[in-house]
Amino acid sequence: MKHTTRKVVGLSLVSLTGLAAFVIVAMLGLILLDIVRGGWSHVSWRFLTEAPTDGMMGGGIFPALFGTAALTLLMTLAVMPVGVLTAVYLHEYAPPSSFLARAVRVAVANLAGVPSIVFGLFGLGFFILFVGKGLDHALGYQELHWAQPGILWASLTLAVLTLPVVIVSTEEALRAVPQEQRTASLALGATQSQTLARVVLPGALPGILTGAVLAISRGAGEVAPILFTGAAYFLPDLPTSLNSQFMHLGYHTYVLATQSPDVEATRPLLYATVLVLLLLTFALNLVAVLIRTRTRRKAAAGH
Amino acid sequence: MQEQDLAPPVAQPTLSPAARRRQWKERAIAGLITVVAFTGIAALVLILVFVAKEALTLVTDAAAREEASFSKMFLPQVVRKGKPLAYVWQPVSSVPKVSMIPLFVGTLKTTLVSMVVAVPLGIFGALFAAEFAPRRLREVLKPTIELLAGIPSVVLGFFALMVMATFLQDVFGFTSRLNAVVAGLGLALAIVPVIFTVTEDALTAVPRSYREASLALGATPWETAWKVVLPAAAPGILAACVLGFGRAIGETMIVLMASGNAAIVSWNLGDSVRSLSATIAAEMGEVVVGSPHYALLFFIGVELFLFTFVLNMLAGMWTRKVIQRLKGGAG
């Protein structure tokens, strides 16, 4: 190839790839701009603290906010112990290249790729129709008590969905704890579990928190898995027990966007709801990124 | 051998009761952690078992077999007397018609649109980030795309429904406002981050020595990127595309909101479509528990699970391949 053609081809390749990167960023910018512009003026303290009114044509989103928070809190309580211990097994206990550890890894990677709607079916089939029905039977309830959609089942379904997120980021956090610290602890006579509890886990704590935050931001935005496991169309009362249904920001968005009799009238409301949901997930992601960069910097400074 | 036999037996160290107790405790903890670690495998198995269990009525129940046999799902059927055989999905009419073909066509159409957009964007974007961008720019680019990945799909569906649909209709003059192109572009927003991230990982995994060797031979940076780094990372990039494909097939909310949800068999991208995943989401709410229709929706769930499972296994294989290849090459 001649020198000039080489240069031209090179330049066009660089600009083509640069253009692709630019388009991705521009799309993100466009989405943010549209949602912020559409929703900003409608987000107010009253909007955040009032229940919807007029058949969801007015009022606020408090029950949806509360439902989303309660749902993700329960989900986090369920997923963190399991996710962290699984990562601990993979990184601290499993013999290197053991068959079992490999099987767990493959399963977790595949779990991450299961479509979210299938998690919804799973929640319905397993938690509600199997576990719930079994509980009702065992506890002697005559009418449906546990064998119906509720916040507990929805949060457990989400916990299964976010399990891979927690496992992957916890493992990364464990990897970042220097091997010498473990060796030093063991050399001082500490057992493996003492080393784990007093050296490894504290050292990995920021990374584990990152995982929790990422799981929360993922779980808070998922709608498909809670469609049949507990989310309610309209429910002015807050959920009072583990088997009550609840409102949810994402589901509320879906309902307002597709089933409103008057789209023009609900548009500001809709945009404001989306903006709140988006700000929530972004804030969580930002927290995760901040924790991660801080730990990385600390780790870099330590060496 | 003989010498070993002659050697005096090694004295077993005798543990104090406290030490022995500690040892048992350690074993118990290790056992507990191991058991918990199987939750992931258990979850995957339970998902398949319990979704398939509800779909089983299609095989075991005579009435369900009658209404939704496999031939009715996959072969053309009589829809109206005197009309040619056709594929129709109308599970709640007086004579239920349960052909899966319109749903397959719908899923395929939205998925293909999204892939056509997202694959070049994701791969080229990642190539730029990994090879050409100055470090500053790169450090901005990656978190930005992570942010895009963090947008809940219901928000992307909302954006596709409210903004993109109107814009695209104005530009292309689609007859139906919600169609395969709108849903596909919405999906593309969801899978670009997947393809970008996995591709970028594969590209950065290529050892520096490859690049240095190429540059030392007189190749320009773009020749190095295009002819050395990209081919070296090829299996990983393939894995990225397959992962993106799997996500696009399974993604629900975007398609549910932006596709128009009409089960039509046509190859016109401007027509409304109904995907497999959106069908579950849209119809599960009104279905009678235990009915053939209910079992059908779970059967669709089994299909989605199996599709994405196979795709994920392939992607996993290719990711391992790229790591092995680069390790072998660099070592």
Side-chain angles (χ1 to χ4, degrees), chain A residues 6 9-10 16-18 20 28 34 89 93 110 113 115 117 121-122 126 129-130 191-193 228 250 254 270, chain B residues 26 29 33-34 37 47 50 124 128 132 141 144 147 154 158 163 218 220 222-223 252 256 284 294 298 308 312-313:
Chain A
R6 257 174 104 184
V9 173
L16 191 69
T17 56
L28 178 71
D34 180 65
Y89 168 76
Y93 280 86
N110 277 292
I117 190 75
L121 292 179
F122 166 68
F126 179 68
L129 296 177
F130 182 73
T191 63
Q192 195 175 7
S193 69
F228 337 120
Y254 164 65
L270 181 52
Chain B
E26 285 302 306
I29 291 173
I33 290 175
T34 312
I47 289 174
F50 276 89
F124 281 177
F128 180 74
F132 303 132
L141 207 55
T144 311
L147 219 54
V154 68
F158 158 82
V163 182
T220 59
W222 74 263
E223 283 170 332
T252 308
L256 182 63
M284 190 52 96
Y294 173 85
F298 274 90
T308 48
N312 277 303
M313 289 303 254

Side-chain angles (χ1 to χ4, degrees), chain A residues 126-204:
Chain A
F126 179 68
F127 288 123
I128 296 177
L129 296 177
F130 182 73
V131 180
K133 221 172 221 174
L135 271 178
D136 277 358
H137 203 72
L139 300 174
Y141 284 108
Q142 290 306 312
E143 68 267 25
L144 298 180
H145 186 78
W146 290 112
Q148 59 177 0
I151 194 165
L152 176 66
W153 303 137
S155 55
L156 289 180
T157 306
L158 281 184
V160 182
L161 182 140
T162 47
L163 191 61
V165 180
V166 176
I167 294 175
V168 168
S169 47
T170 305
E171 228 196 317
E172 196 189 330
L174 294 174
R175 212 173 290 133
V177 176
Q179 198 58 43
E180 297 86 24
Q181 290 189 6
R182 293 185 187 83
T183 326
S185 164
L186 292 171
L188 288 171
T191 63
Q192 195 175 7
S193 69
Q194 286 166 339
T195 307
L196 179 70
R198 300 194 198 153
V199 177
V200 179
L201 284 183

Side-chain angles (χ1 to χ4, degrees), chain A residues 28 31 33-34 70 75 101 127 138 164 204-205 207 209 213-214 222 224 242 244 249 254 269 286 289 296:
Chain A
L28 178 71
I31 296 173
L33 200 72
D34 180 65
M75 174 206 83
F127 288 123
L205 195 61
L209 286 181
V213 174
L214 285 177
E222 283 286 351
L242 287 176
S244 4
L249 276 177
Y254 164 65
L269 213 75
L286 202 66
V289 170
R296 279 209 187 125

Side-chain angles (χ1 to χ4, degrees), chain B residues 134-144:
Chain B
R135 191 193 290 181
R136 269 289 161 69
L137 194 57
R138 189 185 158 174
E139 274 172 10
V140 179
L141 207 55
K142 279 184 75 172
T144 311

Side-chain angles (χ1 to χ4, degrees), chain B residues 58 68-75 98-101 296 299:
Chain B
L58 292 177
S69 64
F70 283 93
S71 76
K72 288 191 173 165
M73 281 185 228
F74 298 106
L75 298 174
V98 297
S99 176
M100 294 263 165
I101 306 299
L296 260 176
F299 181 66

Side-chain angles (χ1 to χ4, degrees), chain A residues 34-44 47 56-61 252-253 256-257 260 262-277, chain B residues 158 162:
Chain A
D34 180 65
I35 290 170
V36 170
R37 215 183 44 191
W40 191 249
S41 55
H42 204 78
V43 177
S44 63
F47 180 73
M56 298 205 285
M57 305 274 281
I61 51 167
H252 193 58
T253 304
L256 283 182
S260 168
D262 184 356
V263 182
E264 284 311 312
T266 44
R267 188 184 286 260
L269 213 75
L270 181 52
Y271 264 100
T273 311
V274 172
L275 180 61
V276 171
L277 177 59
Chain B
F158 158 82
M162 303 292 279

